[in-house]
Amino acid sequence: MNVDINGKRILITASTEGIGKGLARTLSREGCKIVITSRNENKVKSTVEELKKYNPEVYGYVSDLTNYSNLEVLVKFMIEKIGGIDVLIFNSGNPPSEPSYFDETSIEDWEYSVKLYLLSAIKLTKLVLPYMKSQRWGRILYLSSWTIKQPQRIFVLADVSRSSIVQLTKILSKELGIYNITVNTILMGSFETEGAKKSLKKLAERQKISFEELWKKEVIERSPLKRTGDIEKELGSLIAYLISDYASYITGSVIQIDGGTSDAI
């Protein structure tokens, strides 16, 4: 099977480190035209320079997911640079107040979290859909976590705020199928990223145990495979398949890639 996605025009949010950067690296190698984003200008510049080694048509834009007017400019930038958009891969970081239990959260924490995980996804979807509809083809992928099916109390902000994306996925799939636009949510397990380590380091400090001990307990031992996933080889390959024509019959789905971590069916 030759999964040919060469030339696909892709927007990947939060993509200068971790999951987003790994996917950008995989897809740029496949010949995709990519726009990456981050709030950090230096990270955007360095990531673009790195990815251009694989593909000259990689561009970066400094963008904050919680700034709606900024997202409008981001999409305009993409259209001007590469002439359109075929694929939206929605990825995000974590709220600064995570990890936290419910009693520790403020209403401001909730407002930020909902804006980051849900409303920004809705805003970006609304912005890209006119282009996808006009060309009668598109792929929308929301990256989420296995924990929305098996919530973790210490990550209450993230798990509650992004759980609605699953409902959005199903509803949009019903509406957009006639345009050959598919919409799916990916529930990810543990991948070794700086963001994941940062969150668990905070949690380890709270529990007064070493980071290594907590990482083994909460990440490695949770999976029957006893390891983390490979962003480029495993997650990247799944994404490449889902944005190809081979996956045109997959829509409205919630797809887990978690190494068997979740106990939920």
Side-chain angles (χ1 to χ4, degrees):
M1 181 185 296
N2 179 22
V3 180
D4 183 9
I5 55 174
N6 182 60
K8 295 297 183 190
R9 299 164 298 185
I10 303 176
L11 172 59
I12 310 175
T13 59
S15 43
T16 60
E17 58 184 30
I19 297 291
K21 184 177 181 179
L23 294 180
R25 188 181 293 115
T26 296
L27 298 176
S28 62
R29 285 171 173 161
E30 293 293 329
C32 299
K33 302 175 183 179
I34 298 174
V35 169
I36 63 163
T37 75
S38 170
R39 290 177 296 181
N40 187 304
E41 184 175 3
N42 290 332
K43 287 183 179 180
V44 169
K45 289 181 178 178
S46 63
T47 301
V48 168
E49 288 177 5
E50 176 186 339
L51 297 181
K52 278 186 178 291
K53 297 175 184 176
Y54 311 117
N55 187 337
E57 291 209 72
V58 176
Y59 306 93
Y61 189 80
V62 179
S63 178
D64 182 348
L65 285 173
T66 62
N67 184 325
Y68 299 150
S69 60
N70 191 230
L71 296 181
E72 293 174 1
V73 179
L74 166 63
V75 173
K76 289 179 181 177
F77 170 84
M78 179 164 187
I79 302 306
E80 291 172 359
K81 281 292 183 182
I82 54 181
I85 179 167
D86 300 309
V87 180
L88 168 63
I89 299 177
F90 180 83
N91 181 48
S92 67
N94 301 316
S97 52
E98 287 251 292
S100 54
Y101 292 105
F102 180 78
D103 285 347
E104 298 169 335
T105 62
S106 67
I107 195 63
E108 289 77 19
D109 291 332
W110 282 101
E111 288 173 342
Y112 181 84
S113 184
V114 170
K115 201 169 187 180
L116 176 67
Y117 286 121
L118 177 61
L119 297 181
S120 61
I122 291 172
K123 177 65 175 178
L124 267 176
T125 302
K126 283 183 170 291
L127 289 170
V128 304
L129 275 181
Y131 300 99
M132 292 183 177
K133 285 181 177 179
S134 67
Q135 66 197 18
R136 301 191 69 82
W137 199 95
R139 298 284 188 267
I140 297 174
L141 294 171
Y142 300 118
L143 303 189
S144 190
S145 169
W146 65 275
T147 61
I148 69 165
K149 292 183 70 175
Q150 189 175 335
Q152 307 297 298
R153 293 187 306 123
I154 196 67
F155 297 113
V156 61
L157 288 170
D159 289 346
V160 173
S161 298
R162 61 187 169 190
S163 60
S164 299
I165 289 291
V166 172
Q167 283 72 32
L168 178 65
T169 295
K170 183 61 73 174
I171 290 169
L172 288 178
S173 71
K174 301 290 187 182
E175 296 182 2
L176 300 175
I178 59 172
Y179 299 100
N180 295 311
I181 300 170
T182 66
V183 188
N184 295 289
T185 292
I186 310 299
L187 302 187
M188 301 180 294
S190 294
F191 294 85
E192 192 168 342
T193 66
E194 290 306 311
K197 290 179 179 179
K198 183 178 179 180
S199 292
L200 283 188
K201 283 176 182 177
K202 288 183 181 179
L203 189 56
E205 291 174 1
R206 295 178 58 134
Q207 296 183 3
K208 294 181 171 51
I209 61 175
S210 71
F211 165 75
E212 292 75 17
E213 181 181 351
L214 188 65
W215 182 265
K216 181 179 179 181
K217 174 185 174 184
E218 296 295 337
V219 176
I220 305 302
E221 295 299 327
R222 275 184 178 268
S223 167
L225 300 180
K226 307 304 177 188
R227 66 176 177 87
T228 58
D230 186 303
I231 298 174
E232 296 182 42
K233 178 182 176 181
E234 294 167 331
L235 180 60
S237 296
L238 172 63
I239 298 297
Y241 172 75
L242 289 173
I243 66 179
S244 75
D245 288 331
Y246 286 109
S248 58
Y249 200 57
I250 301 174
T251 191
S253 295
V254 178
I255 301 166
Q256 283 184 219
I257 176 168
D258 70 347
T261 296
S262 173
D263 295 324
I265 297 174

